[in-house]
Every structure is written in structure tokens, then in C-alpha cells.
Coordinates of all heavy atoms in Angstrom, one line a residue:
E134 N -167.3 -95.2 24.7 CA -167.4 -96.5 25.4 C -166.1 -97.2 25.3 O -165.6 -97.8 26.3 CB -168.5 -97.3 24.8 CG -169.9 -96.8 25.1 CD -171.0 -97.6 24.4 OE1 -170.8 -98.8 24.2 OE2 -172.0 -97.0 24.1
F135 N -165.4 -97.1 24.1 CA -164.2 -97.8 23.9 C -163.1 -97.3 24.9 O -162.4 -98.0 25.5 CB -163.7 -97.6 22.5 CG -162.5 -98.4 22.1 CD1 -162.4 -99.7 21.9 CD2 -161.3 -97.7 22.0 CE1 -161.3 -100.4 21.6 CE2 -160.1 -98.3 21.7 CZ -160.1 -99.7 21.5
A136 N -163.0 -95.9 25.0 CA -162.0 -95.3 25.9 C -162.3 -95.7 27.3 O -161.3 -96.1 28.0 CB -162.1 -93.8 25.7
R137 N -163.5 -95.7 27.8 CA -163.9 -96.0 29.1 C -163.5 -97.5 29.5 O -163.0 -97.8 30.6 CB -165.3 -95.8 29.4 CG -165.7 -94.4 29.8 CD -167.1 -94.4 30.2 NE -168.0 -94.6 29.0 CZ -168.8 -93.8 28.5 NH1 -168.9 -92.6 29.0 NH2 -169.5 -94.0 27.4
E138 N -163.6 -98.4 28.5 CA -163.3 -99.8 28.7 C -161.8 -99.9 29.1 O -161.5 -100.8 29.8 CB -163.6 -100.5 27.4 CG -163.3 -102.0 27.4 CD -163.7 -102.7 26.1 OE1 -164.6 -102.3 25.4 OE2 -163.0 -103.7 25.8
F139 N -161.0 -99.0 28.6 CA -159.6 -99.1 28.9 C -159.1 -98.1 29.9 O -157.9 -97.8 30.0 CB -158.8 -99.0 27.6 CG -158.9 -100.2 26.7 CD1 -159.9 -100.2 25.7 CD2 -158.2 -101.4 26.9 CE1 -160.1 -101.3 24.9 CE2 -158.4 -102.5 26.1 CZ -159.3 -102.5 25.1
G140 N -160.0 -97.4 30.5 CA -159.7 -96.4 31.5 C -159.1 -95.1 31.0 O -158.4 -94.4 31.7
A141 N -159.5 -94.8 29.7 CA -159.0 -93.6 29.1 C -160.1 -92.6 28.9 O -161.3 -93.0 29.0 CB -158.3 -93.9 27.8
A142 N -159.8 -91.4 28.6 CA -160.8 -90.4 28.3 C -160.8 -90.1 26.8 O -159.7 -90.0 26.2 CB -160.5 -89.1 29.1
A143 N -161.9 -90.0 26.2 CA -162.0 -89.7 24.8 C -162.2 -88.2 24.7 O -163.1 -87.6 25.4 CB -163.2 -90.4 24.2
I144 N -161.4 -87.5 23.9 CA -161.5 -86.1 23.7 C -161.6 -85.8 22.2 O -160.8 -86.3 21.4 CB -160.3 -85.3 24.3 CG1 -160.2 -85.6 25.8 CG2 -160.4 -83.8 24.0 CD1 -159.0 -85.0 26.5
L145 N -162.6 -85.0 21.8 CA -162.8 -84.6 20.4 C -162.0 -83.4 20.2 O -162.0 -82.4 20.9 CB -164.3 -84.4 20.1 CG -164.6 -83.8 18.8 CD1 -164.3 -84.8 17.7 CD2 -166.1 -83.4 18.7
V146 N -161.2 -83.4 19.1 CA -160.4 -82.3 18.7 C -160.9 -81.8 17.4 O -161.0 -82.5 16.4 CB -158.9 -82.6 18.5 CG1 -158.1 -81.4 18.1 CG2 -158.3 -83.2 19.8
R147 N -161.4 -80.5 17.4 CA -162.0 -79.9 16.2 C -161.1 -78.8 15.8 O -160.9 -77.8 16.5 CB -163.4 -79.3 16.5 CG -164.3 -80.5 16.9 CD -165.7 -80.0 16.9 NE -166.2 -80.0 15.5 CZ -167.5 -79.7 15.2 NH1 -168.3 -79.3 16.2 NH2 -167.9 -79.7 14.0
I148 N -160.5 -79.0 14.6 CA -159.7 -77.9 14.0 C -160.5 -77.1 13.0 O -161.1 -77.7 12.1 CB -158.5 -78.6 13.3 CG1 -157.7 -79.4 14.3 CG2 -157.6 -77.5 12.6 CD1 -156.6 -80.2 13.7
Q149 N -160.7 -75.9 13.4 CA -161.7 -75.1 12.6 C -161.0 -74.1 11.7 O -160.1 -73.4 12.1 CB -162.5 -74.3 13.6 CG -163.3 -75.2 14.6 CD -164.2 -74.5 15.6 OE1 -163.7 -73.7 16.4 NE2 -165.5 -74.7 15.5
V150 N -161.4 -74.1 10.4 CA -161.0 -73.2 9.4 C -162.2 -72.8 8.6 O -163.2 -73.6 8.5 CB -159.9 -73.7 8.5 CG1 -158.6 -74.0 9.3 CG2 -160.3 -75.0 7.8
P151 N -162.2 -71.7 7.9 CA -163.3 -71.4 7.0 C -163.4 -72.4 5.8 O -162.4 -73.0 5.5 CB -162.9 -70.0 6.5 CG -162.0 -69.4 7.5 CD -161.3 -70.6 8.1
R152 N -164.5 -72.5 5.3 CA -164.8 -73.5 4.2 C -163.8 -73.2 3.0 O -163.2 -74.2 2.5 CB -166.2 -73.3 3.7 CG -166.6 -74.2 2.5 CD -168.0 -74.0 2.1 NE -168.5 -75.0 1.2 CZ -168.4 -74.9 -0.1 NH1 -167.8 -73.8 -0.7 NH2 -168.9 -75.8 -0.9
E153 N -163.6 -72.0 2.7 CA -162.7 -71.6 1.6 C -161.2 -72.1 1.8 O -160.6 -72.5 0.9 CB -162.7 -70.1 1.3 CG -164.0 -69.6 0.9 CD -165.0 -69.4 2.1 OE1 -164.6 -69.2 3.2 OE2 -166.2 -69.6 1.8
V154 N -160.8 -72.0 3.1 CA -159.4 -72.4 3.4 C -159.3 -73.9 3.3 O -158.4 -74.5 2.7 CB -159.1 -72.0 4.8 CG1 -157.8 -72.6 5.3 CG2 -159.0 -70.4 4.9
S155 N -160.3 -74.6 3.8 CA -160.3 -76.1 3.7 C -160.3 -76.5 2.2 O -159.5 -77.4 1.8 CB -161.6 -76.6 4.4 OG -161.6 -78.0 4.3
L156 N -161.1 -75.9 1.4 CA -161.2 -76.3 0.0 C -159.8 -76.0 -0.7 O -159.3 -76.8 -1.5 CB -162.3 -75.6 -0.8 CG -163.7 -76.0 -0.4 CD1 -164.7 -75.1 -1.0 CD2 -164.0 -77.4 -0.8
R157 N -159.2 -74.9 -0.4 CA -157.9 -74.5 -1.0 C -156.9 -75.5 -0.6 O -156.1 -76.0 -1.4 CB -157.5 -73.1 -0.6 CG -156.3 -72.6 -1.3 CD -155.8 -71.2 -0.9 NE -155.2 -71.3 0.4 CZ -155.7 -70.7 1.5 NH1 -156.7 -69.9 1.5 NH2 -155.0 -70.8 2.7
R158 N -156.9 -75.9 0.7 CA -155.9 -76.8 1.2 C -156.0 -78.2 0.5 O -155.0 -78.8 0.2 CB -155.9 -77.0 2.7 CG -155.4 -75.7 3.4 CD -155.6 -75.9 4.9 NE -155.1 -74.7 5.6 CZ -155.1 -74.5 6.9 NH1 -155.7 -75.5 7.7 NH2 -154.7 -73.5 7.5
M159 N -157.2 -78.6 0.3 CA -157.4 -79.9 -0.4 C -156.9 -79.9 -1.8 O -156.5 -80.9 -2.3 CB -158.9 -80.3 -0.4 CG -159.4 -80.8 1.0 SD -161.0 -81.6 0.8 CE -162.1 -80.1 0.9
Q160 N -156.9 -78.7 -2.4 CA -156.5 -78.6 -3.8 C -154.9 -78.4 -3.9 O -154.3 -78.8 -4.9 CB -157.2 -77.5 -4.5 CG -158.7 -77.8 -4.7 CD -159.4 -76.6 -5.2 OE1 -159.3 -76.2 -6.3 NE2 -160.2 -75.9 -4.3
E161 N -154.4 -77.7 -2.9 CA -153.0 -77.3 -3.0 C -152.0 -78.2 -2.3 O -150.8 -78.2 -2.5 CB -152.8 -75.9 -2.5 CG -153.5 -74.9 -3.3 CD -153.4 -73.5 -2.8 OE1 -152.9 -73.3 -1.6 OE2 -153.9 -72.5 -3.4
R162 N -152.5 -79.1 -1.4 CA -151.5 -79.9 -0.6 C -150.8 -80.9 -1.5 O -151.3 -81.4 -2.5 CB -152.2 -80.6 0.5 CG -153.3 -81.6 0.1 CD -154.0 -82.1 1.3 NE -155.2 -82.9 1.0 CZ -156.2 -83.0 1.8 NH1 -156.2 -82.5 3.0 NH2 -157.3 -83.7 1.4
T163 N -149.7 -81.3 -1.0 CA -148.9 -82.4 -1.7 C -149.4 -83.7 -1.3 O -149.6 -84.0 -0.1 CB -147.4 -82.3 -1.2 OG1 -146.9 -81.0 -1.6 CG2 -146.6 -83.3 -1.9
P164 N -149.8 -84.6 -2.2 CA -150.3 -85.9 -1.9 C -149.3 -86.7 -1.2 O -148.1 -86.7 -1.5 CB -150.7 -86.5 -3.3 CG -150.6 -85.4 -4.2 CD -149.7 -84.3 -3.7
T165 N -149.7 -87.5 -0.2 CA -148.9 -88.4 0.5 C -149.7 -89.7 0.7 O -150.8 -89.8 0.3 CB -148.5 -87.9 1.9 OG1 -149.6 -87.7 2.7 CG2 -147.7 -86.6 1.8
E166 N -149.1 -90.7 1.5 CA -149.8 -91.9 1.7 C -151.1 -91.7 2.5 O -152.1 -92.4 2.3 CB -149.0 -92.9 2.5 CG -147.9 -93.5 1.7 CD -147.1 -94.6 2.5 OE1 -147.7 -95.2 3.3 OE2 -145.9 -94.7 2.2
D167 N -151.2 -90.7 3.4 CA -152.4 -90.5 4.2 C -153.2 -89.2 3.9 O -154.1 -88.9 4.6 CB -152.0 -90.5 5.7 CG -151.0 -89.4 6.0 OD1 -150.4 -88.8 5.1 OD2 -150.8 -89.1 7.2
Q168 N -152.8 -88.5 2.8 CA -153.7 -87.4 2.4 C -153.7 -87.3 0.8 O -152.7 -87.6 0.2 CB -153.3 -86.1 3.0 CG -152.0 -85.5 2.5 CD -151.6 -84.2 3.2 OE1 -152.2 -83.8 4.2 NE2 -150.7 -83.5 2.7
R169 N -154.8 -86.9 0.3 CA -154.9 -86.8 -1.1 C -155.0 -85.3 -1.6 O -155.4 -84.5 -0.8 CB -156.2 -87.5 -1.6 CG -156.2 -89.0 -1.3 CD -157.5 -89.6 -1.8 NE -157.5 -91.0 -1.3 CZ -158.6 -91.6 -1.2 NH1 -159.8 -91.1 -1.4 NH2 -158.6 -92.9 -0.8
Q170 N -154.7 -85.1 -2.8 CA -154.9 -83.8 -3.4 C -156.1 -84.0 -4.3 O -156.3 -84.9 -5.1 CB -153.7 -83.4 -4.2 CG -153.8 -82.0 -4.8 CD -152.6 -81.7 -5.7 OE1 -152.2 -82.5 -6.5 NE2 -152.0 -80.6 -5.4
F171 N -157.1 -83.0 -4.3 CA -158.3 -83.1 -5.1 C -158.4 -81.8 -6.0 O -158.0 -80.7 -5.7 CB -159.5 -83.1 -4.2 CG -159.6 -84.2 -3.3 CD1 -159.5 -84.1 -1.9 CD2 -159.8 -85.5 -3.8 CE1 -159.6 -85.1 -1.0 CE2 -159.9 -86.6 -2.9 CZ -159.8 -86.4 -1.5
H172 N -159.0 -82.1 -7.2 CA -159.3 -80.9 -8.1 C -160.5 -80.3 -7.4 O -161.2 -80.8 -6.5 CB -159.6 -81.4 -9.5 CG -160.7 -82.4 -9.7 ND1 -162.0 -82.1 -9.6 CD2 -160.6 -83.7 -9.8 CE1 -162.7 -83.2 -9.8 NE2 -161.9 -84.2 -9.9
E173 N -160.9 -79.1 -7.9 CA -161.9 -78.2 -7.2 C -163.2 -79.0 -7.0 O -163.8 -79.0 -5.9 CB -162.1 -76.9 -7.9 CG -163.1 -76.0 -7.3 CD -163.3 -74.7 -8.0 OE1 -162.8 -74.5 -9.1 OE2 -163.9 -73.8 -7.4
E174 N -163.7 -79.6 -8.1 CA -165.0 -80.2 -8.0 C -165.0 -81.4 -7.0 O -166.0 -81.5 -6.2 CB -165.4 -80.8 -9.4 CG -166.8 -81.3 -9.4 CD -167.2 -81.8 -10.9 OE1 -166.9 -81.0 -11.8 OE2 -167.7 -82.9 -11.0
K175 N -164.0 -82.2 -7.0 CA -163.9 -83.3 -6.0 C -163.7 -82.7 -4.6 O -164.4 -83.3 -3.7 CB -162.7 -84.2 -6.4 CG -162.5 -85.3 -5.5 CD -163.6 -86.4 -5.6 CE -163.3 -87.6 -4.8 NZ -164.3 -88.6 -4.9
A176 N -163.0 -81.7 -4.4 CA -162.8 -81.1 -3.1 C -164.1 -80.6 -2.5 O -164.4 -80.9 -1.4 CB -161.8 -79.9 -3.2
I177 N -164.9 -80.0 -3.3 CA -166.2 -79.5 -2.9 C -167.1 -80.7 -2.5 O -167.8 -80.7 -1.5 CB -166.9 -78.6 -4.0 CG1 -166.1 -77.3 -4.2 CG2 -168.4 -78.4 -3.7 CD1 -166.5 -76.5 -5.4
G178 N -167.1 -81.7 -3.3 CA -167.9 -82.9 -3.0 C -167.4 -83.6 -1.7 O -168.3 -84.0 -0.9
V179 N -166.1 -83.7 -1.5 CA -165.6 -84.3 -0.2 C -166.0 -83.4 1.0 O -166.5 -83.9 2.0 CB -164.1 -84.5 -0.3 CG1 -163.5 -84.9 1.0 CG2 -163.8 -85.6 -1.4
F180 N -165.8 -82.1 0.8 CA -166.2 -81.2 1.9 C -167.6 -81.3 2.3 O -168.0 -81.5 3.4 CB -165.8 -79.8 1.5 CG -166.1 -78.8 2.6 CD1 -165.1 -78.5 3.5 CD2 -167.4 -78.3 2.7 CE1 -165.4 -77.6 4.5 CE2 -167.7 -77.4 3.8 CZ -166.7 -77.0 4.7
N181 N -168.5 -81.3 1.2 CA -169.9 -81.3 1.5 C -170.3 -82.7 2.1 O -171.2 -82.7 3.0 CB -170.7 -81.1 0.2 CG -170.6 -79.7 -0.3 OD1 -170.3 -78.8 0.5 ND2 -170.8 -79.4 -1.6
Y182 N -169.7 -83.8 1.7 CA -170.0 -85.1 2.3 C -169.8 -85.1 3.8 O -170.6 -85.4 4.6 CB -169.2 -86.2 1.6 CG -169.3 -87.5 2.3 CD1 -170.4 -88.3 2.1 CD2 -168.3 -87.9 3.2 CE1 -170.6 -89.5 2.8 CE2 -168.4 -89.1 3.8 CZ -169.6 -89.9 3.6 OH -169.7 -91.1 4.3
F183 N -168.6 -84.6 4.1 CA -168.2 -84.6 5.6 C -169.0 -83.6 6.3 O -169.4 -83.9 7.5 CB -166.7 -84.4 5.8 CG -166.0 -85.7 5.5 CD1 -165.2 -85.9 4.4 CD2 -166.0 -86.7 6.4 CE1 -164.5 -87.0 4.1 CE2 -165.3 -87.9 6.2 CZ -164.6 -88.1 5.0
A184 N -169.3 -82.5 5.7 CA -170.2 -81.5 6.4 C -171.6 -82.0 6.8 O -172.1 -81.7 7.8 CB -170.3 -80.2 5.6
Q185 N -172.1 -82.9 5.9 CA -173.4 -83.5 6.1 C -173.3 -84.7 7.1 O -174.2 -84.9 7.9 CB -174.0 -84.0 4.8 CG -174.4 -82.9 3.9 CD -175.0 -83.4 2.6 OE1 -174.7 -84.5 2.2 NE2 -175.7 -82.6 1.9
E186 N -172.2 -85.4 7.1 CA -172.1 -86.7 7.9 C -171.7 -86.4 9.3 O -172.0 -87.2 10.2 CB -171.2 -87.6 7.2 CG -171.7 -88.2 5.9 CD -172.9 -89.0 6.0 OE1 -173.0 -89.9 7.0 OE2 -173.9 -88.8 5.2
L187 N -170.9 -85.4 9.5 CA -170.4 -85.2 10.9 C -171.5 -84.6 11.8 O -172.2 -83.7 11.4 CB -169.2 -84.2 10.9 CG -167.9 -84.8 10.2 CD1 -166.8 -83.8 10.2 CD2 -167.4 -86.1 10.9
E188 N -171.5 -85.2 13.0 CA -172.5 -84.7 14.0 C -171.8 -83.7 14.9 O -170.6 -83.8 15.2 CB -173.0 -85.9 14.8 CG -173.7 -86.9 14.0 CD -174.1 -88.1 14.9 OE1 -174.1 -88.0 16.2 OE2 -174.4 -89.1 14.3
E189 N -172.6 -82.7 15.3 CA -172.1 -81.8 16.3 C -171.9 -82.5 17.7 O -172.7 -83.4 18.0 CB -173.1 -80.6 16.5 CG -173.1 -79.7 15.3 CD -171.8 -79.0 15.1 OE1 -171.1 -78.5 16.0 OE2 -171.4 -78.9 13.9
P190 N -170.9 -82.2 18.4 CA -170.7 -82.9 19.7 C -171.9 -82.5 20.7 O -172.5 -81.5 20.6 CB -169.4 -82.3 20.2 CG -169.1 -81.1 19.5 CD -169.9 -81.2 18.2
T191 N -172.1 -83.5 21.5 CA -173.2 -83.3 22.5 C -172.6 -82.4 23.7 O -171.3 -82.4 23.8 CB -173.7 -84.6 23.1 OG1 -172.6 -85.3 23.7 CG2 -174.3 -85.4 22.0
P192 N -173.4 -81.8 24.5 CA -172.9 -80.9 25.6 C -172.0 -81.7 26.6 O -171.1 -81.1 27.2 CB -174.1 -80.4 26.2 CG -175.2 -80.5 25.2 CD -174.9 -81.7 24.3
D193 N -172.2 -83.0 26.7 CA -171.4 -83.7 27.7 C -170.1 -84.3 27.1 O -169.3 -84.9 27.9 CB -172.2 -84.8 28.3 CG -172.6 -85.9 27.3 OD1 -173.0 -85.5 26.1 OD2 -172.7 -87.1 27.6
E194 N -169.8 -84.1 25.8 CA -168.6 -84.5 25.2 C -167.5 -83.5 25.4 O -167.7 -82.3 25.1 CB -168.8 -84.8 23.8 CG -169.6 -86.0 23.5 CD -169.8 -86.3 22.0 OE1 -170.5 -85.5 21.3 OE2 -169.3 -87.3 21.5
P195 N -166.3 -83.9 25.9 CA -165.2 -83.0 26.0 C -164.6 -82.6 24.6 O -164.3 -83.5 23.8 CB -164.2 -83.7 26.8 CG -164.5 -85.1 26.7 CD -166.0 -85.2 26.4
V196 N -164.5 -81.3 24.3 CA -164.1 -80.9 23.0 C -163.0 -79.9 23.1 O -163.1 -79.0 23.9 CB -165.3 -80.3 22.2 CG1 -164.8 -79.9 20.7 CG2 -166.4 -81.2 22.1
V197 N -161.9 -80.1 22.3 CA -160.9 -79.1 22.2 C -161.0 -78.4 20.8 O -161.1 -79.1 19.8 CB -159.5 -79.8 22.3 CG1 -158.4 -78.8 22.0 CG2 -159.3 -80.4 23.7
Y198 N -161.2 -77.1 20.8 CA -161.3 -76.3 19.6 C -160.0 -75.7 19.2 O -159.3 -75.0 20.1 CB -162.4 -75.3 19.7 CG -163.8 -75.8 19.9 CD1 -164.3 -76.0 21.1 CD2 -164.5 -76.2 18.7 CE1 -165.6 -76.6 21.2 CE2 -165.8 -76.7 18.9 CZ -166.3 -76.9 20.1 OH -167.6 -77.4 20.2
I199 N -159.5 -75.9 18.0 CA -158.2 -75.4 17.5 C -158.5 -74.5 16.3 O -159.2 -74.8 15.4 CB -157.3 -76.5 17.1 CG1 -157.0 -77.5 18.3 CG2 -155.9 -76.0 16.6 CD1 -156.3 -76.9 19.5
D200 N -157.8 -73.3 16.3 CA -157.9 -72.4 15.2 C -156.9 -72.9 14.1 O -155.7 -72.8 14.3 CB -157.5 -71.0 15.6 CG -157.4 -70.0 14.5 OD1 -157.7 -70.4 13.3 OD2 -157.2 -68.8 14.7
G201 N -157.4 -73.5 13.1 CA -156.6 -74.1 12.0 C -155.8 -73.2 11.2 O -155.0 -73.6 10.4
E202 N -156.1 -71.9 11.4 CA -155.3 -70.9 10.6 C -154.1 -70.3 11.4 O -153.3 -69.6 10.9 CB -156.2 -69.7 10.2 CG -157.2 -70.2 9.1 CD -158.0 -69.0 8.6 OE1 -158.9 -68.5 9.2 OE2 -157.6 -68.6 7.4
A203 N -154.1 -70.7 12.7 CA -153.0 -70.2 13.6 C -151.7 -71.0 13.3 O -151.8 -72.1 12.8 CB -153.4 -70.4 15.0
P204 N -150.5 -70.5 13.6 CA -149.3 -71.2 13.4 C -149.3 -72.5 14.2 O -150.0 -72.5 15.3 CB -148.2 -70.3 13.9 CG -148.8 -68.9 13.8 CD -150.3 -69.1 14.0
F205 N -148.6 -73.5 13.8 CA -148.6 -74.8 14.5 C -148.3 -74.6 16.0 O -149.0 -75.2 16.8 CB -147.6 -75.8 13.9 CG -147.5 -77.0 14.7 CD1 -148.5 -78.0 14.6 CD2 -146.4 -77.2 15.6 CE1 -148.4 -79.2 15.4 CE2 -146.4 -78.4 16.4 CZ -147.3 -79.4 16.2
E206 N -147.3 -73.9 16.4 CA -146.9 -73.7 17.8 C -148.1 -73.2 18.6 O -148.4 -73.6 19.7 CB -145.7 -72.9 18.0 CG -144.4 -73.6 17.7 CD -144.2 -74.9 18.5 OE1 -144.5 -74.9 19.7 OE2 -143.8 -75.9 17.9
T207 N -148.8 -72.2 18.0 CA -150.0 -71.7 18.7 C -151.1 -72.7 18.8 O -151.7 -72.8 19.9 CB -150.5 -70.4 17.9 OG1 -149.5 -69.5 17.8 CG2 -151.7 -69.8 18.6
Q208 N -151.3 -73.5 17.8 CA -152.3 -74.6 17.8 C -151.9 -75.6 18.9 O -152.8 -76.0 19.7 CB -152.4 -75.3 16.5 CG -153.0 -74.5 15.4 CD -153.0 -75.3 14.1 OE1 -153.1 -76.5 14.1 NE2 -152.9 -74.6 13.0
Y209 N -150.7 -76.0 18.9 CA -150.2 -77.0 19.9 C -150.3 -76.5 21.3 O -150.8 -77.2 22.2 CB -148.7 -77.3 19.6 CG -148.2 -78.4 20.5 CD1 -148.8 -79.7 20.4 CD2 -147.1 -78.2 21.3 CE1 -148.3 -80.7 21.2 CE2 -146.6 -79.2 22.1 CZ -147.2 -80.5 22.1 OH -146.7 -81.5 22.8
Q210 N -150.0 -75.2 21.6 CA -150.2 -74.7 22.9 C -151.6 -74.6 23.3 O -152.0 -74.9 24.5 CB -149.5 -73.3 23.0 CG -148.0 -73.3 23.1 CD -147.5 -74.1 24.2 OE1 -148.0 -74.0 25.4 NE2 -146.5 -75.0 23.9
A211 N -152.5 -74.2 22.4 CA -153.9 -74.2 22.7 C -154.4 -75.6 23.0 O -155.2 -75.8 23.9 CB -154.7 -73.6 21.5
F212 N -154.0 -76.6 22.3 CA -154.4 -78.0 22.5 C -153.9 -78.4 23.9 O -154.8 -78.9 24.7 CB -153.7 -78.9 21.5 CG -153.8 -80.3 21.8 CD1 -155.0 -81.0 21.5 CD2 -152.8 -81.0 22.4 CE1 -155.2 -82.3 21.8 CE2 -152.9 -82.4 22.6 CZ -154.1 -83.0 22.4
L213 N -152.7 -78.1 24.3 CA -152.2 -78.5 25.6 C -153.0 -77.8 26.7 O -153.4 -78.5 27.7 CB -150.7 -78.2 25.7 CG -149.8 -79.0 24.9 CD1 -148.3 -78.5 25.1 CD2 -149.9 -80.5 25.2
E214 N -153.3 -76.6 26.6 CA -154.0 -75.8 27.6 C -155.4 -76.3 27.7 O -155.9 -76.5 28.8 CB -154.0 -74.3 27.2 CG -152.7 -73.6 27.4 CD -152.7 -72.2 26.8 OE1 -153.7 -71.7 26.5 OE2 -151.6 -71.7 26.7
E215 N -156.1 -76.6 26.6 CA -157.5 -77.1 26.7 C -157.6 -78.5 27.3 O -158.5 -78.8 28.0 CB -158.2 -77.0 25.3 CG -158.4 -75.5 24.9 CD -159.5 -75.4 23.9 OE1 -160.5 -76.2 24.0 OE2 -159.4 -74.6 23.0
V216 N -156.6 -79.4 26.9 CA -156.6 -80.7 27.4 C -156.4 -80.7 28.9 O -157.0 -81.4 29.7 CB -155.6 -81.6 26.7 CG1 -155.3 -82.9 27.4 CG2 -156.1 -81.9 25.2
T217 N -155.5 -79.8 29.3 CA -155.2 -79.7 30.8 C -156.4 -79.3 31.5 O -156.8 -79.8 32.6 CB -154.0 -78.7 31.0 OG1 -152.9 -79.2 30.3 CG2 -153.8 -78.5 32.5
Q218 N -157.2 -78.3 31.0 CA -158.4 -77.8 31.6 C -159.4 -78.9 31.7 O -160.1 -79.1 32.7 CB -159.0 -76.6 30.8 CG -158.2 -75.3 31.1 CD -158.9 -74.2 30.3 OE1 -159.5 -74.4 29.3 NE2 -158.7 -73.0 30.8
L219 N -159.6 -79.7 30.6 CA -160.5 -80.8 30.6 C -160.2 -81.9 31.6 O -161.1 -82.6 32.1 CB -160.6 -81.4 29.2 CG -161.3 -80.5 28.1 CD1 -161.2 -81.2 26.7 CD2 -162.8 -80.3 28.4
S220 N -159.0 -82.1 31.8 CA -158.6 -83.2 32.7 C -158.6 -82.8 34.2 O -158.4 -83.6 35.1 CB -157.2 -83.7 32.3 OG -156.2 -82.7 32.6
Q221 N -158.9 -81.6 34.5 CA -159.0 -81.1 35.9 C -160.3 -81.4 36.5 O -161.3 -81.5 36.0 CB -158.6 -79.7 36.0 CG -157.2 -79.4 35.7 CD -156.8 -77.9 35.7 OE1 -157.6 -77.1 36.0 NE2 -155.6 -77.7 35.5

């Protein structure tokens, strides 16, 4: 609704990785202002919380799926291609 109010399209971007990869990244990443590093128990708790809280997109919602294990350039190209397809 917010996007429509301003004449924009809302597109959901889902970066998909296996659970183990996500947990490892939460534990190994360098903490910054906008991301935290968690010990294993906390990482599992955070992962499980979001896994329960996030809703699957509805069939009418535009979704871009990205392979989170692919190199950045591959992810970026896939994003551009999918957004282009959705906007046609």
C-alpha cells in the first residue's frame, strides 16, 4: 500500500542460503553498525525467531529470488534480470 501511494512498485527480494550457511555467517561476520556477530546459541535463536515470524509471499506479490551462495556479480545480474522481467 505504501509503495502504491507514491506510484512505486514493491518487490520482495529473497536471498536464499541453507540454514547452516546462515548460522555460520552470523557467527563469523565482522560486527558493524548495521550487523551483529552472534555466538552459536544466539545465532540459532535469531534464525529460529525469523524463520517463525516471516510469512511466505502470496502468489500475487512480486518476488526476486537470489542464490546467496553465488558470487556478488552473479547475484546482482540475477537481481537485475528478475526485476526487469517483473516490470514488463
Side-chain angles (χ1 to χ4, degrees):
E134 292 177 29
F135 183 76
R137 275 188 293 246
E138 182 179 329
F139 291 95
I144 298 173
L145 174 63
V146 178
R147 296 192 82 175
I148 301 173
Q149 300 179 300
V150 296
R152 180 179 190 272
E153 298 75 30
V154 172
S155 181
L156 292 172
R157 186 182 75 244
R158 288 178 179 175
M159 284 192 276
Q160 293 172 72
E161 295 177 354
R162 64 185 169 205
T163 302
T165 65
E166 285 185 34
D167 61 347
Q168 71 180 13
R169 298 180 188 156
Q170 182 183 52
F171 299 112
H172 58 78
E173 183 178 11
E174 185 177 316
K175 179 70 173 180
I177 292 169
V179 169
F180 182 92
N181 289 340
Y182 171 79
F183 282 103
Q185 289 176 341
E186 293 297 314
L187 292 176
E188 297 176 17
E189 291 297 316
T191 61
D193 63 323
E194 290 179 293
V196 182
V197 171
Y198 293 95
I199 302 294
D200 177 359
E202 292 188 283
F205 174 77
E206 283 303 319
T207 303
Q208 292 181 29
Y209 185 61
Q210 285 304 314
F212 170 79
L213 292 177
E214 289 170 13
E215 289 201 40
V216 166
T217 299
Q218 286 180 333
L219 288 172
S220 64
Q221 293 178 355

